[in-house]
Amino acid sequence: MESNYSLPIGWHVGKYELTGVLSHQNFFTTYRAYDPRLKLEVAIKELAPLECTTRTADGRTIVLKEAAYAQWFDGMKERFLETGRVLCRFHHSSILSYRDVVEENGTACLVSRFVEGTTLEEWLCKNGAPGEGKLCIILHNLLTALHYGHQSGSLHNAITPQNILMEHPTGMPVLTGFANKTIFRPHKITLLTPNSEWYPTPYDPSEQSSNSEMPGPWSDLYALGGVLYRAVTGRNPTTAIERACEDIPLSLPVLSSHKGYSPAFIAMIEKAMQSRAEDRWQSAAEWLRALDRHTSTLAATPSRLRRAVSAMLGLGRSPNNATATSSR
Ligand SMILES: Nc1ncnc2c1ncn2[C@@H]1O[C@H](COP(=O)(O)OP(=O)(O)OP(=O)(O)O)[C@@H](O)[C@H]1O
Ligand SMILES: [Mg+2]
């Protein structure tokens, strides 16, 4: 992926040599890069809001299209760096942790380890709906990650299948962009850029677009429920706003009925996606307890499901091949 707006491949950001462009979105450009001192690959996320900025003629320094954006951009840069500093202190196998922040070229960059793999969205497009055993393992890892993040005082605020990387070869999920959305929306709904409004994704609960309700752990758990909905049905959920306005049901049991998921598993997703925050899982720990009870019942299921869980946990394999699972 190349773009005139990206820094040229081969250039350096701090001590890191850019080797490719991984992603180019409205606000960030993410590069693949190389740390020559440690001799390892990294990813570099550069704050580069397309709508409001451009680069100097040499293609290096980010400059504002209008002087009026200065205060907005400075605030965004400071919050981005602060997010990076917080994430440099995060240590959880299912959260993309950062290892460095760089202030250069008129902007800020966060440096993380490079994750070999694909996004969950790409993975689902390629592999279709995963079995319940595999999904339980993925869910367990993501819930322990959210528990860790929430306990540390951060909300993710933007969980989507695009923001979950499926690492190769473990097949385990890694959550990217923890707390990034607070850069745009430090408190509920604010303007994304000086000119544009925020539009909810299918994974955003209603409180993300309301001034009267507070986001909390239950908001991230709603989004995680949406990710599971996408995984089991093959389609995005209807947005929370549409569901509320037009009284559209989730229809999860109908949409997933022929795929062999247990009613108890589907009920866990439905609980996460309730419109009213108080009807949902209130914390990742609460959902984890229910998930643990659910998976323990799988042991009594002499079927593909149990074999899938055993395989995912690496049971019966040598330690070198065993799949890592994160701890709570
Ligand atoms: N550490 C990494 N290793 C490998 N690929 C990465 C890494 N970080 C990001 N990517 C790739 O870049 C894409 C964009 O990354 P990310 O989701 O962090 O940025 P964004 O979508 O621009 O911002 P945000 O989701 O925070 O609004 C990811 O979907 C993934 O494909
Ligand atoms: Mg993203």
Side-chain angles (χ1 to χ4, degrees):
M1 196 184 307
E2 287 279 350
S3 153
N4 290 338
Y5 189 62
S6 316
L7 289 168
I9 301 315
W11 284 22
H12 283 73
V13 168
K15 62 185 176 189
Y16 308 98
E17 183 187 341
L18 303 179
T19 55
V21 176
L22 291 167
S23 161
H24 194 60
Q25 307 281 346
N26 290 345
F27 284 86
F28 305 106
T29 301
T30 306
Y31 304 89
R32 191 170 179 154
Y34 185 69
D35 180 339
R37 268 177 257 179
L38 294 178
K39 297 194 188 315
L40 54 80
E41 289 209 276
V42 294
I44 297 187
K45 188 165 180 172
E46 180 192 44
L47 176 64
L50 277 177
E51 196 185 306
C52 305
T53 61
T54 180
R55 286 193 200 264
T56 43
D58 63 0
R60 184 174 281 280
T61 307
I62 296 255
V63 285
L64 300 171
K65 286 183 182 167
E66 290 180 28
Y69 297 149
Q71 198 184 355
W72 170 81
F73 185 66
D74 285 349
M76 202 163 177
K77 199 161 60 179
E78 195 36 56
R79 286 196 294 277
F80 187 53
L81 283 167
E82 188 49 32
T83 301
R85 290 181 200 113
V86 169
L87 291 178
C88 281
R89 295 194 283 271
F90 270 37
H91 297 289
H92 188 285
S93 57
S94 287
I95 296 178
L96 182 66
S97 56
Y98 289 85
R99 53 181 57 180
D100 200 0
V101 296
V102 180
E103 248 187 296
E104 211 173 82
N105 303 329
T107 190
C109 297
L110 308 187
V111 184
S112 62
R113 76 180 177 94
F114 179 74
V115 178
E116 195 70 59
T118 59
T119 67
L120 178 60
E121 179 61 30
E122 291 162 343
W123 191 91
L124 290 170
C125 289
K126 185 167 170 233
N127 298 296
E132 184 170 332
K134 167 116 183 148
L135 266 186
C136 283
I137 303 287
I138 292 172
L139 176 59
H140 180 90
N141 279 269
L142 293 174
L143 283 173
T144 61
L146 285 180
H147 180 66
Y148 180 97
H150 294 163
Q151 293 289 101
S152 312
S154 297
L155 292 177
H156 188 288
N157 269 338
I159 298 170
T160 64
Q162 288 84 4
N163 283 339
I164 297 168
L165 295 174
M166 299 297 281
E167 185 157 17
H168 186 76
T170 63
M172 287 296 115
V174 178
L175 205 45
T176 70
F178 220 102
N180 268 352
K181 278 290 184 286
T182 55
I183 295 161
F184 312 136
R185 289 178 286 128
H187 186 67
K188 292 176 252 163
I189 186 162
T190 55
L191 294 183
L192 266 183
T193 70
N195 299 327
S196 68
E197 286 195 42
W198 172 71
Y199 293 100
T201 73
Y203 304 92
D204 285 321
S206 59
E207 60 268 22
Q208 297 287 14
S209 46
S210 147
N211 283 321
S212 58
E213 299 166 86
M214 276 303 279
W218 47 87
S219 312
D220 278 348
L221 299 173
Y222 178 100
L224 182 55
V227 168
L228 294 173
Y229 181 104
R230 159 74 185 89
V232 304
T233 66
R235 55 174 89 174
N236 283 331
T238 310
T239 63
I241 291 178
E242 273 180 277
R243 271 174 65 203
C245 294
E246 294 167 34
D247 205 17
I248 300 172
L250 263 183
S251 306
L252 198 46
V254 179
L255 291 172
S256 57
S257 60
H258 58 289
K259 297 186 179 168
Y261 297 106
S262 67
F265 184 68
I266 294 298
M268 284 198 291
I269 306 175
E270 286 185 305
K271 178 161 173 145
M273 295 189 74
Q274 291 301 303
S275 298
R276 286 162 22 124
E278 57 269 37
D279 294 335
R280 299 180 209 147
W281 302 109
Q282 294 300 294
S283 68
E286 185 192 8
W287 193 351
L288 266 171
R289 282 192 294 275
L291 179 65
D292 285 349
R293 279 195 301 276
H294 176 68
T295 47
S296 66
T297 65
L298 298 184
T301 314
S303 67
R304 282 183 304 145
L305 210 56
R306 195 178 63 199
R307 284 201 298 278
V309 173
S310 301
M312 290 298 300
L313 288 170
L315 300 178
R317 294 194 222 156
S318 71
N320 287 344
N321 292 332
T323 303
T325 52
S326 42
S327 58
R328 225 185 300 175

